Amino acid sequence: HVYIISNIGSFGDGVFKIGMTRRLEPLDRVRELGDASVPFLFDVHCMIYSKDAPKLEKALHEKFDTNRVNKVNNRKEFFRVSASELRSVIDDLGIEAHFTLKAEAQEFRETQAIEATINRVH
């Protein structure tokens, strides 16, 4: 599977990780990424099953290469791009996939609400 995920609480809006997993349950990988190294969970925007996931992942990385967040270490698969542009490229590749444009970012949004309440009290 090739996945496209975001974590606006950790990386801001418009930053997506485009990665790949060979796991039978691909969401296990997403949960693992959101465990201890970031303060909030990742949101899944797209999960694509592919018979040749490495080739698809490489094609997406190449398409967005100039949008890499880390231009020194290509193993860091984060890209600054809009969700609509990602969806458009997936459509252009002829891939049928459900794509979610808006990140739920539940923990992040709940944290913001709590902080707003605390700030009103103080």
Side-chain angles (χ1 to χ4, degrees):
H1 288 86
V2 172
Y3 56 82
I4 299 173
I5 59 178
S6 71
N7 191 324
I8 65 171
S10 300
F11 305 112
D13 204 11
V15 175
F16 295 86
K17 178 171 175 52
I18 302 171
M20 184 202 80
T21 182
R22 290 183 172 87
R23 295 187 185 183
L24 291 175
E25 179 47 61
L27 291 177
D28 285 348
R29 175 65 177 145
V30 175
R31 281 188 285 274
E32 176 183 272
L33 289 168
D35 276 351
S37 25
V38 292
F40 301 101
L41 298 174
F42 281 90
D43 284 293
V44 178
H45 292 270
C46 192
M47 186 67 70
I48 305 165
Y49 171 77
S50 174
K51 290 183 182 193
D52 194 349
K55 182 179 177 182
L56 174 58
E57 180 194 40
K58 184 175 189 238
L60 291 170
H61 286 182
E62 287 175 353
K63 174 67 180 168
F64 296 109
D65 191 55
T66 59
N67 302 79
R68 281 186 182 277
V69 172
N70 184 334
K71 296 192 176 14
V72 176
N73 183 348
N74 284 350
R75 293 181 58 221
K76 305 291 183 177
E77 305 167 324
F78 290 89
F79 302 84
R80 194 171 312 283
V81 63
S82 72
S84 58
E85 189 176 355
L86 281 163
R87 184 173 71 177
S88 177
V89 167
I90 288 169
D91 290 345
D92 290 348
L93 290 172
I95 297 167
E96 282 197 38
H98 174 73
F99 197 100
T100 303
L101 290 174
K102 188 173 183 331
E104 183 180 357
Q106 182 179 348
E107 289 181 340
F108 174 65
R109 295 187 201 288
E110 287 178 12
T111 298
Q112 285 184 309
I114 292 167
E115 287 178 345
T117 302
I118 292 169
N119 290 336
R120 279 196 301 263
V121 172
H122 292 103

